[in-house]
Amino acid sequence: MLTAADVMTRAVITVRPETSIHEIAKLLCDHHISGVPVIDDEERLLGIVSEGDLIGHAQLAGEQRRSWWQTFLNGPTVLAQHYAKSHGRTASDVMTDEVVAVLETTSVADTARTLEQHRIKRVPVLRNGRLVGIVTRSNLLQVLATTDVSKPMNVADRIIRERLNDELEGQPWAYLLSKNIVIENGVVHLFGIVQSDEERHALRLAAENQAGVKAVEDHLSVVPPVSYVF
C-alpha cells in the first residue's frame, strides 16, 4: 500500500520553542496552514502549536476570575496549566506536547485512521525520531481522488515525485508547504495554492519537464499573498 512518505508534504514550516506566539500567528496566516510543529536543534519533534492553541490563549487571556466551583473541580494542576497558556509568550508555553505522529513507513490507511481516531487535521511524519514531513487531511483526500491507495506507488511514479520535489525545493517561488504532488501512472496531479498565474505556469513546466511524465493535471487555486497593516 501507499505509505505516509508517498503522500506527505516534505517542506514543513517549523518553529523553535522560543518562537513568539505573534510570529507563529503570522506564519499560520502567511502560509494558509492551521498548525506548526515545534522542533529542537536536531529536528526532534517537541510539540505542535495549532490555531486552537492560539485561540485558546486569546480566550484565556481575556478570562475573568474563575468561580469557586470551577477552581474546586479543575484542581491546582489544571489551573496552573491554564495560567501558563494564558500568560505564555512562546511556542513552548502554548504548544501541545503530547503529539500523535506516524512513521514514514506507515500505510496511508493507518495514517488516515490515526487522523480520524485522534480527531486531528494533520500528523507529523518521523524518521528515527526526526521530523521529515507532514500529512494533512487534504493530502489524503487528494490521493484518494486520484490514486488506488490499496496498491503501492510504482517505482517510476516514486522517482518522478522525488525528482520533482527536489527540483522545486530549490526554487524560492515554489512555496511547497501549500502544495501537494500526487502521481498516478505518469500523470502528475498538482494540488494546493499558488500566489499568481506565473507561479502556476512555472509549476506546470517543472512537472512537464520531468522524464517519464505523461501529462499534468492542474488542480491549483490562486490565492494572492496576505498584506498586513500595523
Side-chain angles (χ1 to χ4, degrees), residues 8-229:
M8 71 183 184
T9 299
R10 297 196 313 192
V12 183
I13 295 292
T14 60
V15 297
R16 302 291 180 177
E18 64 273 15
T19 304
S20 73
I21 60 173
H22 173 78
E23 292 176 85
I24 296 171
K26 189 173 184 303
L27 282 173
L28 298 186
C29 292
D30 285 345
H31 296 281
H32 307 282
I33 54 178
S34 59
V36 285
V38 183
I39 61 172
D40 63 14
D41 292 337
E42 296 182 359
E43 298 189 347
R44 289 176 300 195
L45 185 63
L46 303 177
I48 281 186
V49 178
S50 67
E51 289 174 329
D53 293 317
L54 295 184
I55 292 171
H57 176 278
Q59 290 173 337
L60 288 167
E63 279 189 359
Q64 302 300 314
R65 185 177 179 182
R66 292 172 180 270
S67 64
W68 69 267
W69 61 268
Q70 287 176 313
T71 302
F72 176 76
L73 291 175
N74 286 326
T77 300
V78 172
L79 292 175
Q81 291 172 342
H82 278 286
Y83 184 90
K85 285 271 188 182
S86 65
H87 291 75
R89 296 184 177 183
T90 65
S92 62
D93 295 326
V94 301
M95 71 182 185
T96 299
D97 53 14
E98 294 181 3
V99 183
V100 176
V102 298
L103 302 177
E104 60 181 345
T105 54
T106 303
S107 71
V108 165
D110 285 341
T111 302
R113 277 191 284 271
T114 297
L115 291 174
E116 181 64 24
Q117 289 171 357
H118 295 276
R119 297 183 179 181
I120 51 179
K121 297 178 180 179
R122 74 203 70 78
V123 61
V125 183
L126 306 180
R127 177 194 302 150
N128 297 325
R130 289 175 169 78
L131 183 71
V132 293
I134 199 160
V135 175
T136 66
R137 288 186 177 185
S138 60
N139 291 149
L140 295 179
L141 288 174
Q142 290 154 5
V143 171
L144 286 170
T146 56
T147 308
D148 183 352
V149 297
S150 67
K151 298 178 181 179
M153 180 180 286
N154 66 53
V155 175
D157 287 345
R158 183 174 280 114
I159 290 173
I160 292 171
R161 189 173 193 268
E162 289 294 322
R163 287 179 176 172
L164 182 53
N165 270 309
D166 289 342
E167 169 72 18
L168 294 174
E169 282 179 353
Q171 305 301 323
W173 50 264
Y175 304 109
L176 282 184
L177 180 69
S178 61
K179 312 207 174 38
N180 190 30
I181 299 168
V182 179
I183 303 177
E184 173 77 356
N185 296 324
V187 178
V188 179
H189 295 267
L190 299 174
F191 292 95
I193 296 171
V194 293
Q195 296 186 357
S196 64
D197 287 327
E198 289 77 14
E199 185 185 345
R200 181 201 294 270
H201 182 58
L203 281 169
R204 285 188 61 92
L205 285 177
E208 290 170 350
N209 288 336
Q210 298 301 312
V213 171
K214 299 175 183 176
V216 177
E217 295 289 335
D218 183 346
H219 311 280
L220 298 164
S221 300
V222 178
V223 177
V226 177
S227 296
Y228 297 95
V229 178

